[in-house]
Amino acid sequence: MLIYRGLSRISRISKKTSFGRRWLPSHPLLSGASHSAAAAAADSSVKVLGCREAYSWSLPALHGIRHQIHHQSSSVIEDTDSQEQLDPFSLVADELSILAKRLRSMVVAEVPKLASAAEYFFKMGVEGKRFRPTVLLLMATALNVRVPEPLHDGVEDALATELRTRQQCIAEITEMIHVASLLHDDVLDDADTRRGIGSLNFVMGNKLAVLAGDFLLSRACVALASLKNTEVVTLLATVVEHLVTGETMQMTTSSDQRCSMDYYMQKTYYKTASLISNSCKAIALLAGQTAEVAILAFDYGKNLGLAYQLIDDVLDFTGTSASLGKGSLSDIRHVIYLSLLFIASEIL
């Protein structure tokens, strides 16, 4: 419910600040295209941008999901006393399935060993919670404001679909960066399980795990460059820098830093929240939103990412290996943040 309230607030502000402005005016489809040209553009624009494989996303299906999300999220906001909790994953389940198929096609490699390693955590059944793509798709729905004035027949739908596919590409890029970071983390932590199965470094060795992570980052970079948006490229490139910075902070903590909440939160932002916050901002930028709305999207992703990691760290103490899908107390074994028990008690 809190996810919906946050997204609803951003959506309301985006509609206010977007009055009289649009994300469409510079698009070539608006340069007096004929009805037939508009129809052709509607067919071509549904191809996924930034991906080697093109998949069609039908307009009825897209409108159906958009209507379902707006309808159900509005119901939650209007009926704050309702005890029913909506499942955000179910709202974009069909779209997540399309993203999963597309991701599997994007990580194909020429060398069989590398292909097996790269697709290891994208195979059906081990895709993980897909928390980040879900948040980004819901953010996109909250920010994609419909065009108020009439356009050529089919042009508005074509442009809305093209925007959605570009935002889907951000979700795919984010997931590839996330999985790449998991592969590298497992090598650094000498982990033997991940998502309920043997970690890639445990199954195929450290060297191949590192190379698979590098390969995923390279594929993410190719998809990112294809969006041809310098600001978005800069945001996601910064995320990779933050991942490295955060991991280094975790590996090199002093005894004083282990007891510092500020240090812990900064490290947590770099390692987890930066990816979600900058990806949310990228979604807003692609939608043509104002700087104010982009900052709100960033802050939403940052706070959600920090909260997510705080709970995950608490579960490292309270959960079991079976429930977590990875070894519990792994951070303690590496003498990382021995003060986390104190922090957890303060938070809870």
Side-chain angles (χ1 to χ4, degrees):
M1 185 175 292
L2 291 177
I3 291 178
Y4 291 124
R5 287 177 179 172
L7 288 172
S8 174
R9 177 172 176 250
I10 296 173
S11 181
R12 288 197 300 270
I13 293 176
S14 72
K15 289 175 183 176
K16 290 179 182 178
T17 57
S18 297
F19 183 77
R21 60 184 297 280
R22 300 159 45 185
W23 49 265
L24 301 174
S26 64
H27 199 285
L29 293 184
L30 300 179
S31 57
S34 65
H35 177 80
S36 58
D43 292 335
S44 62
S45 65
V46 297
K47 293 184 178 180
V48 175
L49 303 182
C51 305
R52 292 175 57 178
E53 299 291 336
Y55 291 84
S56 294
W57 181 247
S58 67
L59 290 173
L62 180 59
H63 292 322
I65 286 179
R66 187 176 292 161
H67 173 76
Q68 181 187 11
I69 292 174
H70 282 308
H71 174 72
Q72 295 192 37
S73 61
S74 297
S75 299
V76 171
I77 295 160
E78 291 170 2
D79 186 13
T80 55
D81 295 329
S82 174
Q83 297 299 312
E84 183 181 0
Q85 299 258 345
L86 293 176
D87 176 15
F89 297 94
S90 67
L91 297 179
V92 291
D94 292 340
E95 205 168 357
L96 286 173
S97 296
I98 290 178
L99 260 64
K101 293 178 182 177
R102 193 179 300 150
L103 280 166
R104 284 192 285 272
S105 73
M106 292 173 69
V107 299
V108 173
E110 295 179 9
V111 180
K113 275 282 187 181
L114 180 58
S116 298
E119 70 174 4
Y120 191 70
F121 286 123
F122 292 106
K123 294 182 292 187
M124 292 184 64
V126 291
E127 304 104 321
K129 296 177 287 291
R130 295 185 290 187
F131 165 72
R132 291 157 188 82
T134 298
V135 170
L136 295 176
L137 292 175
L138 291 174
M139 177 65 72
T141 300
L143 296 182
N144 292 353
V145 181
R146 298 287 290 182
V147 182
E149 56 263 36
L151 295 173
H152 295 290
D153 291 344
V155 174
E156 181 181 345
D157 284 340
L159 292 172
T161 305
E162 180 177 343
L163 170 62
R164 189 71 177 195
T165 56
R166 286 166 67 82
Q167 292 169 327
Q168 287 173 357
C169 198
I170 292 293
E172 295 157 9
I173 292 166
T174 299
E175 190 66 4
M176 283 191 284
I177 293 175
H178 170 59
V179 173
S181 71
L182 296 183
L183 298 180
H184 289 162
D185 282 356
D186 285 347
V187 171
L188 293 171
D189 297 340
D190 196 26
D192 54 11
T193 57
R194 170 72 67 177
R195 294 181 178 175
I197 61 175
S199 61
L200 183 62
N201 56 295
F202 181 76
V203 174
M204 297 187 179
N206 286 341
K207 292 181 179 179
L208 196 54
V210 171
L211 291 174
D214 293 345
F215 177 77
L216 292 179
L217 288 176
S218 69
R219 282 298 168 88
C221 289
V222 171
L224 184 59
S226 71
L227 291 175
K228 296 181 173 61
N229 187 307
T230 305
E231 193 169 0
V232 170
V233 171
T234 300
L235 287 175
L236 275 298
T238 301
V239 166
V240 178
E241 176 190 347
H242 286 172
L243 287 169
V244 176
T245 301
E247 188 62 43
T248 304
M249 288 176 67
Q250 181 167 289
M251 293 172 57
T252 59
T253 53
S254 66
S255 57
D256 289 339
Q257 288 169 336
R258 292 191 190 108
C259 297
S260 169
M261 186 66 172
D262 289 339
Y263 190 88
Y264 167 76
M265 294 297 285
Q266 186 64 44
K267 184 276 308 179
T268 300
Y269 168 73
Y270 284 147
K271 285 201 64 178
T272 302
S274 175
L275 178 57
I276 303 175
S277 60
N278 283 291
S279 296
C280 284
K281 185 176 181 180
I283 292 290
L285 292 176
L286 289 180
Q289 293 291 345
T290 63
E292 178 189 4
V293 173
I295 292 173
L296 285 172
F298 176 90
D299 289 341
Y300 175 85
K302 176 182 178 180
N303 292 323
L304 187 63
L306 290 173
Y308 182 92
Q309 190 58 49
L310 286 168
I311 296 299
D312 190 65
D313 287 344
V314 170
L315 289 175
D316 201 33
F317 292 91
T318 63
T320 63
S321 297
S323 64
L324 296 175
K326 59 183 179 180
S328 61
L329 301 180
S330 57
D331 285 344
I332 290 181
R333 285 198 294 269
H334 291 85
V335 201
I336 298 172
Y337 301 121
L338 298 181
S339 61
L340 204 54
L341 281 174
F342 169 77
I343 294 173
S345 66
E346 291 293 304
I347 296 169
L348 298 177

